[in-house]
């Protein structure tokens, strides 16, 4: 099924990658791994590299973290090919896509709370046919009873039976916030992204995004989900687990550590931009561990 949606996709380049942090806390070492991998993978394919700040979830924005992200991009020697975009400036675009989906009867309003969904949080059609008004309700996508599979460049084949494993999923929350799943799919299309490189914690979102993208008639993307940096408690580094903020004064050391964690050859300078140029030259995806978690502990 193809919807006649916004025709904004750039002329497809062979490779357009992106780094898309959420400003829910300062960037940490796990974010740096993603930034380095997205950058080296794009550049080693002669591709373009974009930065997008995923800030639709306004209540979760951590004060100062957008500024920290921008400072890090610069201090660590990353050079985006386009002006950095902020999703909170693009809410109309997501609303337009929602309206198109509504016109096609592919979404519905839902009043179920997480509690009502039971312990596995899989949504079972409870409101699908209630025809509730859209105002002040969550908006869910009707998913078909299909299995979606994709081959991840590191993690191999990954499949989900959408209805059984995931259920109808939320595109807009009751409080009016556009959900990550919708914003990411729309922006990857509008920015002409071809390759997604990100942490393996997002692996389980991919089938939802592939399904939504296909409904909208967008081209399918290429995916690579990176192993996650863990702390000494066995938790993934995250803002919630209080991972240390990247220190821009330690940029060369941290870059060297990130290159090492991705099991790439050492670089022999301490100037961030030149370190990245060397890392691009030497970039070899087959050296990255094919697993969900990296060995060792990080801060
Ligand atoms: N904004 C997401 C995050 O910071 C990443 C989204 C993506 O790469 O698809 O975890």
């Amino acid at each position: 099924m193809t919807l006649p949606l916004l025709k904004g996709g750039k002329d497809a380049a062979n490779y357009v990658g992106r780094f898309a942090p959420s400003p829910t806390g300062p960037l940490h070492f796990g974010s740096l791994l993603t930034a380095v991998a997205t950058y080296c993978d794009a550049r080693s394919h002669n591709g373009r590299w974009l930065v997008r700040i995923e800030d639709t979830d306004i209540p979760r924005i951590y004060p100062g973290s957008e500024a920290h992200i921008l400072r890090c991009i610069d201090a660590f020697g990353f050079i985006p090919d386009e002006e950095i975009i902020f999703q909170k400036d693009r809410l109309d675009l997501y609303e337009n896509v929602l309206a198109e989906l509504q016109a096609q009867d592919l979404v519905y309003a839902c009043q179920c709370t997480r509690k009502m969904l039971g312990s596995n949080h899989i949504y079972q059609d409870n409101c699908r046919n209630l025809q509730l008004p859209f105002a002040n309700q969550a908006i869910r996508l009707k998913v078909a009873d299909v299995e979606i599979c994709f081959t991840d460049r590191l993690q191999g084949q990954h499949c989900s039976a959408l209805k059984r494993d995931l259920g109808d999923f939320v595109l807009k929350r009751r409080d009016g916030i556009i959900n990550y799943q919708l914003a990411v799919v729309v922006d990857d299309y509008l920015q002409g992204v071809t390759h997604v490189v990100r942490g393996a914690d997002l692996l389980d979102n991919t089938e939802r995004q592939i399904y939504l993208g296909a409904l909208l008639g967008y081209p399918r993307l290429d995916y690579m989900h990176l192993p996650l940096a863990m702390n000494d408690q066995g938790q993934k580094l995250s803002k919630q687990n209080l991972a240390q903020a990247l220190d821009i004064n330690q940029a060369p050391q941290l870059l060297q550590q990130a290159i090492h964690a991705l099991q790439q050859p050492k670089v022999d300078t301490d100037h961030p931009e030149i370190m990245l140029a060397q890392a691009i030259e030497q970039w070899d995806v087959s050296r990255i561990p094919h697993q969900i978690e990296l060995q060792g502990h990080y801060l």
Side-chain angles (χ1 to χ4, degrees):
M1 191 178 338
T2 303
L3 299 178
L5 287 169
L6 307 155
K7 297 267 183 293
K10 302 255 166 63
D11 292 343
N14 291 336
Y15 190 121
V16 180
R18 70 349 180 239
F19 174 54
S22 303
T24 49
L27 291 189
H28 50 73
F29 185 70
S31 332
L32 182 62
L33 284 184
T34 306
V36 168
T38 55
Y39 196 71
C40 291
D41 204 53
R43 292 279 189 255
S44 64
H45 285 85
N46 294 318
R48 299 166 61 70
W49 186 77
L50 314 180
V51 176
R52 177 171 79 224
I53 309 292
E54 301 210 317
D55 53 0
T56 55
D57 196 349
I58 292 168
R60 288 188 59 221
I61 294 179
Y62 182 83
S65 58
E66 295 200 341
H68 181 252
I69 294 171
L70 302 181
R71 269 202 310 277
C72 286
I73 302 274
D74 194 45
F76 285 80
F78 298 103
I79 304 173
D81 284 306
E82 284 179 18
E83 211 177 304
I84 296 177
I85 66 166
F86 293 77
Q87 288 187 324
K88 68 172 177 309
D89 300 335
R90 300 163 62 81
L91 299 178
D92 287 353
L93 295 171
Y94 317 130
E95 292 288 353
N96 287 348
V97 173
L98 261 186
E100 293 278 359
L101 291 167
Q102 186 179 354
Q104 303 282 329
D105 196 27
L106 290 168
V107 291
Y108 59 95
C110 177
Q111 60 190 0
C112 293
T113 58
R114 274 173 88 79
K115 237 194 194 147
M116 288 159 76
L117 300 185
S119 55
N120 59 8
H121 291 155
I122 297 175
Y123 180 79
Q124 303 293 352
D125 288 2
N126 318 41
C127 300
R128 238 200 210 202
N129 301 312
L130 296 184
Q131 312 286 353
L132 296 170
F134 274 54
N136 305 319
Q137 302 288 7
I139 310 297
R140 284 185 190 268
L141 183 72
K142 295 179 180 172
V143 302
D145 195 3
V146 290
E147 187 176 53
I148 305 276
C149 294
F150 69 100
T151 304
D152 187 273
R153 284 163 65 202
L154 285 180
Q155 311 296 341
Q157 221 207 20
H158 199 267
C159 297
S160 291
L162 274 191
K163 203 164 157 62
R164 192 193 65 213
D165 299 344
L166 306 169
D168 291 348
F169 56 95
V170 172
L171 299 183
K172 184 178 177 180
R173 296 190 333 217
R174 180 190 304 266
D175 60 5
I177 301 284
I178 295 290
N179 207 4
Y180 155 67
Q181 310 289 0
L182 175 62
V184 84
V185 168
V186 171
D187 277 340
D188 279 342
Y189 171 67
L190 292 178
Q191 293 191 283
V193 168
T194 57
H195 289 67
V196 171
V197 176
R198 59 188 179 190
D201 52 329
L202 294 169
L203 195 54
D204 288 338
N205 289 291
T206 306
E207 287 89 352
R208 290 186 181 96
Q209 294 168 11
I210 289 174
Y211 181 74
L212 178 57
L215 274 184
L216 294 167
Y218 301 167
R220 207 193 259 216
L221 308 179
D222 184 287
Y223 292 95
M224 175 158 87
H225 286 85
L226 303 165
L228 302 170
M230 310 299 284
N231 66 18
D232 59 2
Q233 321 273 315
Q235 301 161 320
K236 111 179 163 79
L237 293 193
S238 72
K239 295 133 192 173
Q240 291 73 18
N241 296 328
L242 305 178
Q244 218 171 73
L246 290 177
D247 177 356
I248 57 171
N249 298 316
Q250 303 276 322
Q253 295 88 324
L254 288 164
L255 269 176
Q256 193 69 264
Q257 249 190 66
I259 289 166
H260 179 72
L262 292 165
Q263 296 192 10
Q264 301 300 302
K266 247 177 114 81
V267 294
D268 60 10
T269 134
D270 59 5
H271 182 285
E273 246 178 86
I274 303 173
M275 293 177 81
L276 285 173
Q278 274 190 21
I280 291 163
E281 199 66 27
Q282 302 176 152
W283 183 244
D284 180 357
V285 167
S286 70
R287 298 175 68 126
I288 304 176
H290 289 220
Q291 56 206 39
I292 300 288
E293 295 177 8
L294 284 176
Q295 303 289 321
H297 300 142
Y298 298 88
L299 289 174

